[in-house]
Structures are given as C-alpha cells and as structure tokens.
C-alpha cells in the first residue's frame, strides 16, 4: 500500500483514539456495575448505535430485547426486558456498565458481556465453532459501546 | 404511538406467555403421543413439566408430523428399511438376519443412551449399531450423524414412537450422567450461555425469530424444513454450542455422548416421537 497523506492522517487519528481507549481488562466498574468514564474518549453516535443494536453480526441486542421505537426491525426477542424507556430511568454510566459487562450489574444474568476478553470457557472464533484466535477481541469495540449507549439514551418515550 | 401499536405492544408478551400450546399430537389418526409429562424427580427445582419441542412449532409444522405420508422424515426411514435388509461386510449378514423385523426393536430407542456392560461405557444408539456393523457384520462403521447412521436411527426411533423415554441414570451410568449434567449447566463461549440459560430459563420466549423450546431430544432424529434433511442429536448440540460463539465438541465425542444421556433423561416420561418435524 502506498502511504498517502490521507491514510497517514487516518492512522494518526486511529492512534490518537486508541490512546484514550480503556482496554476491557481495565474497565473500572462501580459498586453497582456502572462505568463512569467513556471507554473510547469519543462521544457516541446514536445512529450508529441503533445499527449495532439491530444487526445480527454486531450487537444483535434485538434477539433478546424489544424496542418499540425500532418498529422497522423484525423479530424482536423476549429473553431480556423491553428497553423502550430505558433512557429515562438509567444513566449513561449505568448503561455503559450494563452493555460492557451486565454481570457486574445483574449477577449471573443471561445477558452476554460485550466488552470482555478473558475468563471464557472454550471461546470460539465468531460463529465458526472453531477455537478463538488469540488475542480475543471483545464482541463490541469501545466506540461501539459508546454508540450503543448513546442510542439507549435516546429511548425515552414509551 | 397509535392505539393499534400500543395494543400490539401490550398483547405481544401475553400471547406468547408460557409458550407451549395446548394441541395434542396423534400420528396417523391413532397413535397418541405423550408430549407433556410431569418432570422426573432429578429435575426438582429446575422444571415441573417436561414438554416436547413439537408444542413450540407453528400449526403448519406440527401438522406435518401427524401423518406419515406428510412427514418428510419417513422417506429416510424407508431408505433405512432397505439398509436393514441388505447383507454387508465380511460376514455377509444384514440387520434383519439377526434381529428380524425392525418392529422387533420397539422400545430400544426409548432406553438409549444405555450402559453397555461388556464395553464398560455408555453407548448411544449409533454407537451400538456401529458395534454390530464392525464386530458382527465385519462392515465399515458409519460416520457419526452421517446420512446412513441417522436414517437407521430414525427407523429404530419410528418403531418406538408412543413409548415413554426411560433412560437409566443410576448405577454404572451415573458418572457419565453427572458429566453430561455439568456440560448442560456450563456457560460456554464468548456469549457465556449454557443450555439451561436458553432451554430451562427461557423456553417459551422468542430469541429473535426462534421460539425457544426445552431442547428435548425425544423427537430425534428431526427433519428440519431449514435444511431439508434428518438431523442428529449431536449435530443439533454442535449448532447450539457454536451459537454461543464457542469452540464446539464433535458429534460422537465423549462430551456429547454424556450430554445426550443427560438431555435424554430430562425427557423421561415423554414419548419417543422421532422422526419429528421442526423448522
């Protein structure tokens, strides 16, 4: 690849974003599971978060949660509670903690941890059924989590 | 939000509450199948009632299982009847030479997996059939869950339909059963989900488009509309473990043999139903 000025700039931005990123093993959870500080240092994008929430290969949150505001997304699941009003009664810090690792808020919950890279039993490589390649990547990136949290904060009317 | 949408939002969880429907399964107009039963004592504190996966499927899918002419799985049973009567191997013997009609095998599927005293191991039906092939017929063993093996399992299952699953979990099988139980409750993969998270805690709920059942195996082999073939128990286990973003076990592995014994025992009291039809 030829390094143009543009890709150089891109690399520099990525490097800068990475510098502010909190890696999964170093996320600091409060007593009740909330995470105060942004994981990426960059504000979340609610539109992007909406897509991550609804897309199978990304967060796939709709497999377990109904969201009345997402009437265009078919097949919303019922394993978790409906989230139509969650931005009303949860703070961004609480939501960040729940999405990063819901087990810190709800002990033993069925909800997967989306920002975690260690402590798994037989981790796999995506949906291939084969062993995971090291190092294990979290299911969602730091910025993905911030985007999802931004989206959840918009869920107010129910 | 319009009134109609509000109504929908309110009624959706109520419609699906409980999940299992109240239909009854009768095959060919006269063979009544027990599809709901009181849970075995070993499920105390986990399940009160055990329910066949048939109850969680749509009316159209359910209907396909109610008549052997409509059940696509029966085509493979016919193929297995040919295989049953075909002599093979160095001994030039067929299953029929030793066992007579397939109907002589009624009741066998209901008690498998089962402890085999001489071998000193728990065997699934496929392992037992392969033992006959290798050691009594001098024929090649069938690959686990491959078409020939699954078709034969479907034949053996079909002649046990309407008989209650009654798998032994004590005595020499106890260790294997405990191992299977441990696997059932282990939260595998990046999603950290156990069989129980989906099939014990959430049966009746929708997970995306799928209506979660109890994950019973009394209906296996199952003909799935999704892939238009008969599917084995271990292949289903493999798919479910893979979906937790985990490294799976292989069909025929000691882990899946143990898990099959355990899951089969969770269905004690339900009737054998295979080959069943699922989506």
């Amino acid at each position: 690849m030829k390094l143009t000025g543009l890709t150089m700039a891109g690399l520099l931005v990525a490097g800068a974003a990475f510098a502010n990123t909190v890696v999964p093993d170093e996320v600091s959870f409060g007593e009740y599971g909330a995470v105060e500080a942004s994981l990426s240092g960059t504000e979340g994008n609610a539109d992007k978060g909406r897509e991550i929430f609804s897309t199978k290969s990304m967060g796939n949150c709709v497999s377990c949660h109904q969201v009345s505001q997402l009437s265009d997304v078919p097949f919303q699941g019922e394993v978790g509670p409906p989230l139509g009003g969650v931005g009303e009664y949860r703070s961004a810090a609480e939501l960040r903690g729940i999405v990063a690792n819901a087990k810190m808020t709800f002990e033993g919950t069925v909800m997967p941890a989306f920002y975690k890279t260690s402590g798994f039993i037989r981790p796999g490589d995506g949906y291939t059924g084969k062993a995971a390649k090291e190092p294990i990547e979290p299911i969602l990136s730091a910025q993905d989590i911030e985007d999802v949290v931004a989206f959840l904060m918009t869920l107010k009317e129910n | 939000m319009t009134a109609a949408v509000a109504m929908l939002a309110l009624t959706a969880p109520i419609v699906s509450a409980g999940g299992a429907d109240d239909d009854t399964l009768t095959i060919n107009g006269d063979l009544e199948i027990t599809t709901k039963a009181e849970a075995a004592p070993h499920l105390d504190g986990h399940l009160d009632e055990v329910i066949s996966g048939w109850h969680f499927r749509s009316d159209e899918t359910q209907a396909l299982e109610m008549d052997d002419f409509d059940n696509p799985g029966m085509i493979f049973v016919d193929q297995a009847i040919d295989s049953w009567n075909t002599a093979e191997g160095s001994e030039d013997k067929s299953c029929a030479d030793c066992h007579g009609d397939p109907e002589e095998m009624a009741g066998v599927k209901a008690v498998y997996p089962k402890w085999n005293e001489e071998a000193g191991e728990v065997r699934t039906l496929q392992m037992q059939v392969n033992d006959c092939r290798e050691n009594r017929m001098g024929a090649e063993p069938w690959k686990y869950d491959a078409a020939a093996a699954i078709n034969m399992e479907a034949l053996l299952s079909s002649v046990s339909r309407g008989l209650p699953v009654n798998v032994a979990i004590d005595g020499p099988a106890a260790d294997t059963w405990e191992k299977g139980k441990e696997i059932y409750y282990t939260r595998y993969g990046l999603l950290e989900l156990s069989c129980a998270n989906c099939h014990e805690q959430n049966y009746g709920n929708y997970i995306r488009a799928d209506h979660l059942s109890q994950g019973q195996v009394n209906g296996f082999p199952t003909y799935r509309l999704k892939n238009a073939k008969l599917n084995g128990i271990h292949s289903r286990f493999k798919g479910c473990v893979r979906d937790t973003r985990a490294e799976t076990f292989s069909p025929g592995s000691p882990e899946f043999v143990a898990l099959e014994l355990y899951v089969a025992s969770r269905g004690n009291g339900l009737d054998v139903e295979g080959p069943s039809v699922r989506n």
Side-chain angles (χ1 to χ4, degrees):
Chain A
M1 185 176 74
K2 211 172 108 207
L3 277 185
T4 62
L6 208 68
T7 43
M8 270 308 283
L11 285 175
L12 285 175
V13 171
F18 190 74
N20 291 327
T21 298
V22 183
V23 299
D25 280 342
E26 278 162 22
V27 177
S28 147
F29 292 89
E31 190 183 347
Y32 302 105
V35 175
E36 296 296 336
S38 164
L39 298 178
S40 67
T42 304
E43 207 173 320
N45 173 333
D47 287 339
K48 187 86 200 312
R50 181 189 213 275
E51 191 196 342
I52 295 166
F53 190 95
S54 316
T55 309
K56 183 157 190 215
S57 57
M58 301 169 101
N60 198 21
C61 316
V62 277
S63 4
C64 291
H65 294 284
Q66 292 171 337
V67 173
S68 40
Q69 291 88 336
L70 293 177
S71 51
D72 57 317
V73 180
F75 306 127
Q76 304 190 8
E78 327 174 294
V79 170
L83 298 178
V86 79
E88 209 130 4
Y89 58 90
R90 289 274 182 199
S91 68
E94 286 174 327
L95 292 171
R96 185 179 291 115
I98 292 170
V99 183
N101 186 349
K103 277 137 188 118
M104 309 300 275
T105 302
F106 310 106
E107 201 192 328
T109 184
V110 167
M111 178 162 157
F114 289 88
Y115 201 59
K116 178 176 164 174
T117 49
S118 59
F120 299 115
I121 302 170
R122 297 180 73 88
D125 182 12
Y127 291 106
T128 63
K130 301 205 170 69
K133 295 194 187 77
E134 298 288 341
I136 291 173
E137 295 286 329
I139 297 171
L140 295 179
S141 71
Q143 191 56 46
D144 289 342
I145 307 265
E146 293 305 322
D147 294 346
V148 169
V149 170
F151 167 66
L152 294 173
M153 286 304 286
T154 68
L155 300 177
K156 300 228 157 128
E157 74 277 17
N158 195 8
Chain B
M1 196 191 269
T2 64
V5 175
M7 268 298 290
L8 243 166
L10 276 177
T11 51
I14 297 161
V15 170
S16 53
D21 66 16
D22 292 328
D23 298 343
T24 50
L25 173 55
T26 306
I27 297 175
N28 299 332
D30 57 9
L31 179 59
E32 279 172 32
I33 306 286
T34 300
T35 50
K36 290 185 184 176
E38 198 188 329
H42 71 80
L43 287 171
D44 260 7
H46 294 277
L47 291 177
D48 296 331
E49 190 183 37
V50 290
I51 307 168
S52 160
W54 182 79
H55 281 288
F56 299 85
R57 309 282 55 100
S58 70
D59 286 348
E60 298 77 47
T61 306
Q62 286 183 337
L64 292 173
E65 200 179 308
M66 301 180 79
D67 189 311
D68 282 352
F69 285 107
D70 296 330
N71 183 341
M74 294 308 287
I75 296 164
F76 300 99
V77 167
D78 284 342
Q79 290 176 12
I81 293 174
D82 291 341
S83 161
W84 178 267
N85 292 315
T86 305
E88 266 192 79
S90 57
E91 306 305 304
D92 197 30
K93 279 199 160 56
S94 70
C95 318
D97 288 334
C98 295
H99 293 291
D101 288 336
E103 285 72 21
E104 301 286 326
M105 289 289 193
V108 172
K109 165 78 180 175
V111 297
Y112 269 77
K114 187 172 109 178
W115 175 258
N116 183 295
E117 194 55 51
E118 285 120 81
E121 64 182 7
V122 168
R123 283 186 173 170
T124 64
L125 207 51
Q126 285 189 45
M127 289 162 77
Q128 178 55 46
V129 168
N130 268 343
D131 182 64
C132 286
R133 286 184 61 80
E134 285 189 271
N135 300 317
R136 300 203 166 95
M137 297 163 70
E140 286 291 310
W142 283 322
K143 193 170 168 279
Y144 213 93
D145 272 0
I150 218 65
N151 293 355
M152 185 57 75
E153 189 174 337
L155 169 61
L156 293 168
S157 178
S158 71
V159 298
S160 284
R161 284 184 296 177
L163 299 171
V165 176
N166 185 17
V167 168
I169 65 171
D170 50 2
D175 283 349
T176 308
W177 184 82
E178 287 291 348
K179 190 173 148 205
K181 181 176 179 182
E182 192 191 320
I183 293 172
Y184 193 86
Y185 287 100
T186 299
R187 302 186 66 163
Y188 291 110
L190 297 187
L191 300 184
E192 297 177 286
L193 292 171
S194 69
C195 315
N197 286 149
C198 286
H199 294 296
E200 183 173 296
Q201 281 174 256
N202 277 297
Y203 72 86
N205 285 332
Y206 277 86
I207 187 160
R208 199 125 209 184
D210 286 314
H211 195 190
L212 281 168
S213 73
Q214 289 184 348
Q216 298 286 358
V217 292
N218 63 305
F220 277 78
T222 56
Y223 179 87
R224 292 188 66 189
L225 302 169
K226 187 178 163 185
N227 60 11
K229 66 178 181 93
L230 282 180
N231 295 266
I233 292 171
H234 293 195
S235 300
R236 176 48 111 160
F237 289 171
K238 187 177 168 187
C240 282
V241 177
R242 182 201 58 213
D243 285 349
T244 68
R245 301 203 191 193
E247 177 186 3
T248 60
F249 302 100
S250 305
S253 63
E255 289 85 1
F256 276 170
V257 172
L259 185 60
E260 179 179 338
L261 173 64
Y262 178 69
V263 178
S265 80
R266 291 175 70 97
N268 275 353
L270 295 174
D271 281 352
V272 174
E273 197 190 297
S276 66
V277 185
R278 302 285 188 260
N279 51 306

